[in-house]
Amino acid sequence: MATNITWSSLYLGNIADMDTDEGSFTIEDSSQILNTFGSPGSPLYDQVVDITTNSTDDDAVYSDNSTTSDTVSYDLGAGQVVAQVDSLPLMTGIVTFKDGSTLNSSDLSVFQDTNGNIFLTIRDNQPALAAQAIESIQFTAVTESNYIGLTQFTRDDLEFLCFAAGTLILTEGGEVPVEHLATGDRVMTLDHGLQPVRWVSFSDQPLRGVDTRKKPVLIRKDALGTGIPSRDIVVSPQHRILVGGQQQLCEPFAQERLAPAKSLTDLGSVRHMRGKLHISWVHFACDRHEVIRANGCWAESLLLGDMAVAAMSADEVRELEAIFGPRESPEAPWNGVPARALLRTQEVRQRLADHRRKSRRPRPVQNKSCAAAF
């Protein structure tokens, strides 16, 4: 049973009941939804809300027209709300993004719950919607409304590997705030010395209502070893950190590997930033996937693989094609193979737990025999 699945959505507001006849799955009154939601002064990208499902079926949340007791839960800022899905129209409309570009679509998945709240759900097969900041949506027609349930999709809005603005990256000219990097700047890499930055991208992310597990990860000074990092660093949950080498968590890991930041939160000095409400992200890519120096610790640059590409806009994909040329295959990363073997979250947590049991210390410390380049 697929319960407690979380997907990201945009909260559009509260309108009158569209499904006035519970004996029919078709909505009877679409007058209020055929409108514009969001504006430059009140953008939808500030209304990202995580919806958690409670389904009695394997793959769908059914509406209250059926005999099921499926519910969804979310927090709009005033505490947890639990409600049933009331109606599920598929809409046609014009999406306007923060940069002024637009997208016409007849495949906009909307649902209204029994409290009257309406949401746009961002499906996994809609990377253009997921990757860009949506300012507003103008619904022009109901594409279809005869749905009995909503298939559960998951989307992690922090799948992109990002550094928080203010992170200091080691370059040939010394440490530079990541938001000041430009294409052509040369950053220090662990494997290939100074390498030019080929692509830089910036994004802002509102965090109100975002599930704690998807919030930024704070790695405190000295969390990975003495002086590592040299100051606190904030990264996205999936951003991978070097372990098992360069004096970074060498005791629990025998070889150099890359571990997702979220997998290190069992350490006392690594945690999700629960109270963070907004963050500015920067990610950058080199010719190859590299291990670079950020706030005094070794972490990865952006690997332009399937996960990253799927979350990009069409314009970004075209930009990368112009820089890197065509991909060798649809599955191949644009900038080569991973710089180190990639560890899974559960594997990292298990190794850390095993190490704690053996050492009876509260957290791993640096191994003096661990190689270091700096």
Side-chain angles (χ1 to χ4, degrees), residues 175-316:
E175 291 186 320
V176 173
V178 65
E179 65 271 25
H180 293 170
L181 286 181
T183 55
D185 290 348
R186 297 205 300 169
V187 297
M188 180 60 68
T189 72
L190 182 57
D191 301 320
H192 303 109
L194 291 169
Q195 292 295 312
V197 172
R198 299 297 306 281
W199 186 72
V200 185
S201 184
F202 306 86
S203 62
D204 292 320
Q205 186 191 21
L207 297 169
R208 185 175 68 83
V210 173
D211 186 275
T212 297
R213 294 166 298 179
K214 298 180 182 181
K215 287 202 170 186
V217 173
L218 170 66
I219 303 175
R220 291 287 190 189
K221 177 185 177 183
D222 300 324
L224 308 178
T226 303
I228 306 172
S230 56
R231 58 187 67 80
D232 294 355
I233 184 171
V234 177
V235 295
S236 55
Q238 292 283 10
H239 201 121
R240 299 181 185 94
I241 306 297
L242 185 75
V243 296
Q246 309 306 312
Q247 304 291 343
Q248 296 186 190
L249 296 181
C250 293
E251 290 185 359
F253 301 95
Q255 296 176 303
E256 289 188 353
R257 297 288 187 266
L258 288 168
K262 66 180 182 181
S263 68
L264 303 175
T265 53
D266 288 342
L267 300 174
S269 299
V270 181
R271 63 173 177 84
H272 288 281
M273 302 180 76
R274 296 173 181 268
K276 193 78 171 172
L277 297 179
H278 185 276
I279 195 162
S280 296
W281 293 116
V282 185
H283 41 261
F284 67 90
C286 301
D287 284 313
R288 289 168 287 215
H289 185 226
E290 301 283 6
V291 180
I292 55 90
R293 191 84 160 173
N295 279 18
C297 73
W298 292 104
E300 68 175 330
S301 64
L302 182 61
L303 177 65
L304 294 169
D306 285 343
M307 183 183 296
V309 174
M312 292 179 183
S313 68
D315 287 343
E316 287 175 318

Side-chain angles (χ1 to χ4, degrees), residues 13-137:
N14 187 283
I15 64 174
D17 185 9
M18 295 188 289
D19 181 24
T20 57
D21 179 5
E22 299 301 337
S24 167
F25 292 107
T26 303
I27 63 174
E28 286 74 42
D29 182 5
S30 61
S31 59
Q32 289 197 50
I33 199 170
L34 296 176
N35 206 334
T36 299
F37 298 86
S39 66
S42 183
L44 293 179
Y45 57 76
D46 282 342
Q47 301 295 329
V48 177
V49 175
D50 276 4
I51 305 289
T52 301
T53 67
N54 172 21
S55 172
T56 57
D57 190 80
D58 285 339
D59 61 0
V61 178
Y62 289 100
S63 72
D64 64 346
N65 296 83
S66 68
T67 58
T68 68
S69 58
D70 293 348
T71 60
V72 296
S73 60
Y74 52 86
D75 186 350
L76 297 179
Q80 192 83 342
V81 174
V82 178
Q84 286 184 273
V85 173
D86 187 54
S87 57
L88 295 154
L90 190 69
M91 301 298 296
T92 296
I94 303 168
V95 179
T96 300
F97 298 103
K98 183 179 180 181
D99 64 2
S101 61
T102 60
L103 172 70
N104 294 301
S105 176
S106 59
D107 190 25
L108 301 172
S109 298
V110 173
F111 79 87
Q112 183 179 38
D113 70 11
T114 47
N115 294 319
N117 293 320
I118 52 173
F119 301 86
L120 174 78
T121 62
I122 308 296
R123 306 198 307 269
D124 282 355
N125 63 350
Q126 295 179 304
L129 287 177
Q132 302 183 71
I134 296 175
E135 183 176 274
S136 65
I137 300 175

